[in-house]
């Protein structure tokens, strides 16, 4: 299947700092990527849809100024958690669909990034 | 209302036995897709199986099969011959609408499966 790579896998930062997470589609182009957030022992909740060359679409309740998304190319989307606070500590996981490579429409996920804000 | 419901927060199964993980969904779309993912403790999401709303046959992928009952809006995952490596969280997910690049997946709450030796 298609490969999505996410970096960093783990990050610990101090409260008030910003953290950038990268999501790359390695062997396919992704006009759309999806950013999910997962709290411990909970399900994946969609945060935003990242669109190449245009603004991201955020889900209700997700602060766009807090979670900046940039999708500058067909293979890279970045999520920046600005002025991080302990309540932002979570598992962030990106995904994309290899629209040309599969008819099922499954999402391929990155490895996830575990953010801990002290 | 929840779009995807997984009523079993945790399940035990004896190694080599079969297990069924429940999933019900709610949509008014005629075209939709149903997916199952496995999430081991490492956190990665592994795609297991897919069922399209217009597919008449139940999907199968190796030891995984999907018991699709459209009228009841259920899409249960059946794992045959359980292995210790099957211990993980399992998520049911749905895509509403056609297979377009922009259609995201909505996930259920998950079921933690534990395989006993």
């Amino acid at each position: 299947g298609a490969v999505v790579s996410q970096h960093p896998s783990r990050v610990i930062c101090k409260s008030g700092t910003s953290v950038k997470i990268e999501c790359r589609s390695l062997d396919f182009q992704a006009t759309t990527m999806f950013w999910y957030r997962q709290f411990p022992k909970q399900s994946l909740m969609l945060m935003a849809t990242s669109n190449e060359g245009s603004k991201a679409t955020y889900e209700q309740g997700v602060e766009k100024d807090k979670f900046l998304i940039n999708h500058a190319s067909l293979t890279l989307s970045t999520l920046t958690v600005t002025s991080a606070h302990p309540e932002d500590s979570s598992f962030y996981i990106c995904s994309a669909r290899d629209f040309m490579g599969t008819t099922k429409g499954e999402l391929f996920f990155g490895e996830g990034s575990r953010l801990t804000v002290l | 209302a929840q779009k995807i419901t997984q009523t079993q927060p945790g399940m035990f199964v004896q190694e080599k036995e079969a297990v069924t993980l429940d999933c019900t969904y709610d949509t008014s779309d005629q075209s939709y897709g149903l997916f199952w993912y496995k999430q081991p403790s490492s956190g990665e999401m592994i795609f297991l199986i897919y069922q399209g709303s217009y597919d008449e046959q139940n999907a199968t992928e190796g030891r995984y099969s999907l018991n699709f009952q459209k009228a009841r809006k259920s899409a249960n995952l059946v794992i045959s011959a359980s292995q210790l490596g099957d211990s993980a969280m399992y998520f049911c997910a749905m895509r509403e609408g056609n297979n377009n690049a922009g259609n995201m997946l909505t996930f259920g709450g998950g079921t933690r499966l534990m395989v006993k030796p």
Side-chain angles (χ1 to χ4, degrees), chain A residues 98-115:
Chain A
D98 180 6
F99 192 54
M100 301 301 293
T102 174
T103 59
K104 298 176 182 176
E106 70 270 37
L107 288 179
F108 294 96
F109 285 83
E111 305 91 331
S113 299
R114 192 167 301 283
L115 172 64

Side-chain angles (χ1 to χ4, degrees), chain B residues 65-83:
Chain B
S65 60
L66 202 152
N67 184 358
F68 181 44
Q69 298 191 34
K70 194 170 183 176
R72 297 178 58 184
K73 293 189 174 179
S74 74
N76 298 340
L77 176 70
V78 180
I79 305 175
S80 62
S82 297
Q83 301 173 356

Side-chain angles (χ1 to χ4, degrees), chain A residues 36 38 43 97 99 103 105 107, chain B residues 37 39 99-101 103 105 108:
Chain A
Y36 286 85
Q38 186 180 29
S43 185
R97 183 174 283 123
F99 192 54
T103 59
L107 288 179
Chain B
Y37 282 84
Q39 187 180 41
N99 180 20
N100 296 322
N103 287 346
L105 298 188

Side-chain angles (χ1 to χ4, degrees), chain A residues 31-32 34 36 38 42-44 46 91 93 97 99 102-111, chain B residues 35 37 39 42-45 47 50 61 91 95 99-109:
Chain A
T31 56
T32 303
F34 303 95
Y36 286 85
Q38 186 180 29
Q42 293 190 25
S43 185
L44 281 75
L46 182 68
F91 188 64
I93 190 165
R97 183 174 283 123
F99 192 54
T102 174
T103 59
K104 298 176 182 176
E106 70 270 37
L107 288 179
F108 294 96
F109 285 83
E111 305 91 331
Chain B
F35 304 79
Y37 282 84
Q39 187 180 41
S42 57
E44 61 191 300
M45 293 287 286
F47 166 69
Y50 163 81
E61 290 285 348
F91 290 98
R95 180 207 72 237
N99 180 20
N100 296 322
N103 287 346
M104 84 296 195
L105 298 188
T106 302
F107 286 84

Side-chain angles (χ1 to χ4, degrees), chain B residues 26-93:
Chain B
D26 182 28
T27 181
S28 56
D29 285 359
Q30 295 299 309
S31 177
Y32 53 90
L34 298 159
F35 304 79
W36 278 92
Y37 282 84
K38 172 183 178 182
Q39 187 180 41
S41 56
S42 57
E44 61 191 300
M45 293 287 286
I46 302 168
F47 166 69
L48 297 179
I49 195 166
Y50 163 81
Q51 180 84 41
S53 59
Y54 295 118
D55 294 341
E56 295 185 350
Q57 301 275 350
N58 284 343
T60 60
E61 290 285 348
R63 294 188 297 113
Y64 305 109
S65 60
L66 202 152
N67 184 358
F68 181 44
Q69 298 191 34
K70 194 170 183 176
R72 297 178 58 184
K73 293 189 174 179
S74 74
N76 298 340
L77 176 70
V78 180
I79 305 175
S80 62
S82 297
Q83 301 173 356
L84 295 178
D86 294 335
S87 295
M89 282 290 290
Y90 288 81
F91 290 98
C92 180

